[in-house]
Protein backbone atom coordinates (compact mmCIF):
# COMPACT_ATOMS: atom_id res chain seq x y z
CA UNK A 1 0.00 0.00 0.00
CA UNK A 2 1.16 3.50 -0.69
CA UNK A 3 2.25 5.43 2.29
CA UNK A 4 0.78 8.75 3.31
CA UNK A 5 2.83 11.84 3.63
CA UNK A 6 3.68 12.80 7.15
CA UNK A 7 1.97 15.84 8.66
CA UNK A 8 -1.51 17.25 8.93
CA UNK A 9 -3.88 16.66 6.11
CA UNK A 10 -5.69 19.79 4.99
CA UNK A 11 -8.42 20.49 2.52
CA UNK A 12 -7.86 23.07 -0.22
CA UNK A 13 -10.90 25.35 -0.21
CA UNK A 14 -9.66 27.93 -2.75
CA UNK A 15 -12.07 28.73 -5.56
CA UNK A 16 -11.33 27.45 -9.04
CA UNK A 17 -12.69 29.70 -11.80
CA UNK A 18 -13.21 28.42 -15.31
CA UNK A 19 -13.10 31.15 -17.94
CA UNK A 20 -15.23 31.12 -21.00
CA UNK A 21 -13.64 31.73 -24.36
CA UNK A 22 -14.10 35.19 -25.79
CA UNK A 23 -16.93 35.28 -28.32
CA UNK A 24 -15.85 35.52 -31.93
CA UNK A 25 -16.38 38.68 -33.97
CA UNK A 26 -19.61 37.50 -35.58
CA UNK A 27 -21.16 36.86 -32.19
CA UNK A 28 -20.12 40.32 -31.04
CA UNK A 29 -21.77 41.92 -34.07
CA UNK A 30 -25.03 40.06 -33.50
CA UNK A 31 -27.76 42.60 -32.59
CA UNK A 32 -29.07 40.33 -29.81
CA UNK A 33 -25.63 40.15 -28.20
CA UNK A 34 -25.20 43.93 -28.44
CA UNK A 35 -28.62 44.58 -26.89
CA UNK A 36 -28.00 42.13 -24.06
CA UNK A 37 -24.64 43.78 -23.33
CA UNK A 38 -26.31 47.20 -23.28
CA UNK A 39 -28.97 45.91 -20.84
CA UNK A 40 -26.27 44.43 -18.61
CA UNK A 41 -24.46 47.77 -18.54
CA UNK A 42 -21.33 46.59 -20.32
CA UNK A 43 -19.30 49.03 -22.38
CA UNK A 44 -20.22 48.75 -26.05
CA UNK A 45 -18.17 50.48 -28.71
CA UNK A 46 -19.78 51.27 -32.05
CA UNK A 47 -17.75 52.38 -35.03
CA UNK A 48 -19.36 53.51 -38.26
CA UNK A 49 -17.18 52.90 -41.26
CA UNK A 50 -17.51 55.50 -43.96
CA UNK A 51 -19.23 54.15 -47.08
CA UNK A 52 -18.48 50.57 -46.12
CA UNK A 53 -20.07 48.05 -48.42
CA UNK A 54 -21.58 50.53 -50.82
CA UNK A 55 -20.73 51.77 -54.26
CA UNK A 56 -21.98 55.26 -53.62
CA UNK A 57 -19.77 58.28 -53.89
CA UNK A 58 -18.71 59.82 -50.62
CA UNK A 59 -20.48 63.14 -50.14
CA UNK A 60 -18.24 64.08 -47.22
CA UNK A 61 -15.03 63.90 -49.23
CA UNK A 62 -13.50 67.16 -50.39
CA UNK A 63 -13.15 65.92 -53.98
CA UNK A 64 -15.78 63.81 -55.69
CA UNK A 65 -14.80 60.21 -56.27
CA UNK A 66 -15.19 58.98 -59.84
CA UNK A 67 -16.18 55.53 -60.87
CA UNK A 68 -13.46 53.46 -62.50
CA UNK A 69 -15.28 53.22 -65.81
CA UNK A 70 -15.60 56.99 -66.10
CA UNK A 71 -11.96 57.39 -65.20
CA UNK A 72 -10.94 54.85 -67.86
CA UNK A 73 -13.07 56.62 -70.46
CA UNK A 74 -11.32 59.90 -69.74
CA UNK A 75 -7.77 58.57 -69.83
CA UNK A 76 -7.98 55.95 -72.61
CA UNK A 77 -8.48 56.86 -76.26
CA UNK A 78 -11.66 55.64 -77.91
CA UNK A 79 -9.81 53.66 -80.55
CA UNK A 80 -6.25 53.06 -81.63
CA UNK A 81 -4.86 53.97 -85.03
CA UNK A 82 -4.75 51.02 -87.39
CA UNK A 83 -2.50 50.35 -90.37
CA UNK A 84 -3.44 52.77 -93.18
CA UNK A 85 -4.76 51.40 -96.47
CA UNK A 86 -1.75 52.65 -98.45
CA UNK A 87 0.68 50.80 -96.16
CA UNK A 88 -1.38 47.59 -96.31
CA UNK A 89 -1.42 47.67 -100.10
CA UNK A 90 2.29 48.47 -100.27
CA UNK A 91 3.14 45.48 -98.07
CA UNK A 92 1.03 43.11 -100.18
CA UNK A 93 2.39 44.42 -103.53
CA UNK A 94 6.03 44.26 -102.36
CA UNK A 95 5.59 40.78 -100.89
CA UNK A 96 4.00 39.47 -104.10
CA UNK A 97 6.69 41.17 -106.19
CA UNK A 98 9.36 39.35 -104.15
CA UNK A 99 7.33 36.11 -104.58
CA UNK A 100 7.10 35.54 -100.83
CA UNK A 101 4.30 34.06 -98.81
CA UNK A 102 3.13 35.62 -95.55
CA UNK A 103 4.87 32.84 -93.62
CA UNK A 104 8.17 33.47 -95.43
CA UNK A 105 7.96 37.21 -94.77
CA UNK A 106 7.21 36.52 -91.12
CA UNK A 107 10.23 34.21 -90.94
CA UNK A 108 12.51 36.87 -92.49
CA UNK A 109 11.40 39.57 -90.02
CA UNK A 110 11.40 37.17 -87.03
CA UNK A 111 7.71 37.61 -86.26
CA UNK A 112 4.72 35.29 -86.24
CA UNK A 113 2.66 34.77 -89.36
CA UNK A 114 -0.33 36.27 -87.55
CA UNK A 115 1.53 39.60 -87.31
CA UNK A 116 1.97 39.76 -91.09
CA UNK A 117 -1.69 38.78 -91.61
CA UNK A 118 -2.84 41.53 -89.21
CA UNK A 119 -0.71 44.15 -91.00
CA UNK A 120 -2.02 43.15 -94.40
CA UNK A 121 -5.65 43.04 -93.24
CA UNK A 122 -5.36 46.35 -91.37
CA UNK A 123 -6.20 44.97 -87.93
CA UNK A 124 -2.76 45.62 -86.43
CA UNK A 125 -1.72 48.71 -84.50
CA UNK A 126 1.35 50.04 -86.35
CA UNK A 127 4.67 49.34 -84.67
CA UNK A 128 7.62 51.18 -86.16
CA UNK A 129 10.03 48.38 -85.31
CA UNK A 130 7.98 45.83 -87.26
CA UNK A 131 7.49 48.26 -90.15
CA UNK A 132 11.25 48.89 -90.23
CA UNK A 133 11.91 45.14 -90.50
CA UNK A 134 9.39 44.87 -93.35
CA UNK A 135 10.98 47.85 -95.13
CA UNK A 136 14.39 46.22 -94.91
CA UNK A 137 13.22 42.83 -96.21
CA UNK A 138 10.79 44.09 -98.88
CA UNK A 139 12.84 47.11 -100.00
CA UNK A 140 9.82 49.46 -99.84
CA UNK A 141 9.29 52.59 -97.76
CA UNK A 142 6.35 52.02 -95.38
CA UNK A 143 6.86 54.71 -92.75
CA UNK A 144 6.60 58.46 -93.23
CA UNK A 145 6.05 60.42 -96.42
CA UNK A 146 7.97 59.72 -99.58
CA UNK A 147 10.56 62.47 -100.13
Amino acid sequence: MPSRPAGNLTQDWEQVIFHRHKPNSTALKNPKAVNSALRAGAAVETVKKLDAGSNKNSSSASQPVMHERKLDEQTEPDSFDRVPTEVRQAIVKARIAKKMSQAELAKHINERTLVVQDYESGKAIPNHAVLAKMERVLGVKLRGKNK
Side-chain angles (χ1 to χ4, degrees):
M1 263 180 87
S3 64
R4 290 184 170 199
N8 294 339
L9 293 177
T10 59
Q11 191 109 24
D12 187 10
W13 290 102
E14 290 183 26
Q15 290 183 349
V16 177
I17 301 172
F18 293 102
H19 295 282
R20 288 186 180 177
H21 292 292
K22 289 184 178 180
N24 59 10
S25 63
T26 55
L28 291 175
K29 293 176 185 176
N30 187 356
K32 291 181 182 179
V34 172
N35 288 335
S36 65
L38 287 172
R39 275 188 244 113
V44 177
E45 180 182 351
T46 58
V47 177
K48 180 172 168 69
K49 295 182 181 178
L50 298 175
D51 293 333
S54 69
N55 289 330
K56 297 178 182 176
N57 290 342
S58 174
S59 60
S60 63
S62 61
Q63 294 180 347
V65 178
M66 301 183 76
H67 292 293
E68 289 181 23
R69 188 193 60 163
K70 289 182 183 177
L71 186 62
D72 284 343
E73 287 174 357
Q74 289 179 354
T75 57
E76 295 293 324
D78 292 336
S79 63
F80 294 102
D81 294 331
R82 302 291 180 194
V83 178
T85 308
E86 303 86 30
V87 175
R88 293 176 8 202
Q89 292 172 351
I91 293 171
V92 173
K93 286 180 184 177
R95 181 179 57 80
I96 292 173
K98 293 264 186 170
K99 298 181 181 174
M100 298 174 91
S101 66
Q102 289 180 342
E104 290 172 346
L105 176 60
K107 186 176 180 181
H108 283 294
I109 65 172
N110 293 325
E111 295 287 341
R112 296 183 312 180
T113 308
L114 183 63
V115 173
V116 176
Q117 289 174 357
D118 287 346
Y119 272 87
E120 289 186 2
S121 66
K123 296 178 185 175
I125 299 169
N127 183 353
H128 288 287
V130 175
L131 289 173
K133 291 178 190 178
M134 287 185 183
E135 285 178 350
R136 185 173 28 87
V137 171
L138 297 174
V140 178
K141 185 158 178 68
L142 301 173
R143 298 174 293 159
K145 305 241 180 195
N146 290 332
K147 294 181 181 178

